[in-house]
Amino acid sequence: MTGSRRILNIFSGLLLLVFSAALFMFPEDAIPVVLLVIGLGITFRGLQTLIYYFSMARYMVGGKRILFRTIILLDFGLFTSALADHPAIYIILFIAGIHLFSGLVTALRANEARQEGSSKWIFTAFYALIDVVLFALVIYFGLFRNSISMAVYVYATGLIGTAFNRIAQAFRRTAIVYIQ
């Protein structure tokens, strides 16, 4: 990881910590803001991938897969941004779905790392477990207890975990392969 990438990871982790603190302070007004941030983040990632596709990936093997991923990211980001005016129950289901999907994908990554013999699979599996627990908590508090503020607290807690993960990634040593 380059030095600028490390600084960017630390900055984004600190920004996530500030955003989660704001969510803890103002939970009643947080649902539209959360959707806006998620929607803009996914749309921005889709635009990055689109630029990557047109600059390099269209000439690569598997370039069409990157184009399809770009289209899905852009659609998902715009759909998320459009949800802000809908009732809170749909938004809670959407946030819970994001946590469930993220947890399942991370669990599959942990299983793959375990099969390859990596020692970091335990941390990845723990992160997946946290995402699945956050999914269950958002569903419980949002649907059964009808407490939107508790669902926002759970989401903010997930953001704190993500922030610490990004900051820790910035300080991790990376392997450099030298070709002789």
Side-chain angles (χ1 to χ4, degrees), residues 16-17 19-25 27 30 34 95 99 134 138 149-163:
L16 280 175
L17 284 175
F19 181 65
S20 61
L23 289 178
F24 274 113
M25 288 191 291
V34 166
I95 291 173
H99 276 294
L134 286 176
V138 167
S149 62
M150 283 303 289
V152 171
Y153 291 150
V154 169
Y155 181 73
T157 305
L159 283 182
I160 290 172
T162 302

Side-chain angles (χ1 to χ4, degrees), residues 65-88:
R65 186 183 70 181
I66 292 173
L67 177 64
F68 294 146
R69 185 173 63 187
T70 299
I71 293 169
I72 290 171
L73 281 173
L74 285 173
D75 284 345
F76 197 60
L78 293 174
F79 172 72
T80 305
S81 299
L83 272 179
D85 295 338
H86 288 64

Side-chain angles (χ1 to χ4, degrees), residues 103 106-107 110 120-133 161:
T106 308
K120 296 182 181 182
W121 72 270
I122 296 172
F123 178 72
T124 309
F126 181 70
Y127 197 70
L129 180 67
I130 287 174
D131 258 341
V132 172
V133 167

Side-chain angles (χ1 to χ4, degrees), residues 1 10 13 24 47-48 54-56 58 65 80-81 84 86-87 97 103 119 131 161 178 180:
M1 182 181 299
I10 291 171
F24 274 113
L47 290 174
Q48 280 181 329
F54 281 117
S55 64
M56 187 183 307
R58 66 180 168 169
R65 186 183 70 181
T80 305
S81 299
H86 288 64
S119 63
D131 258 341
Y178 293 102
Q180 295 183 13

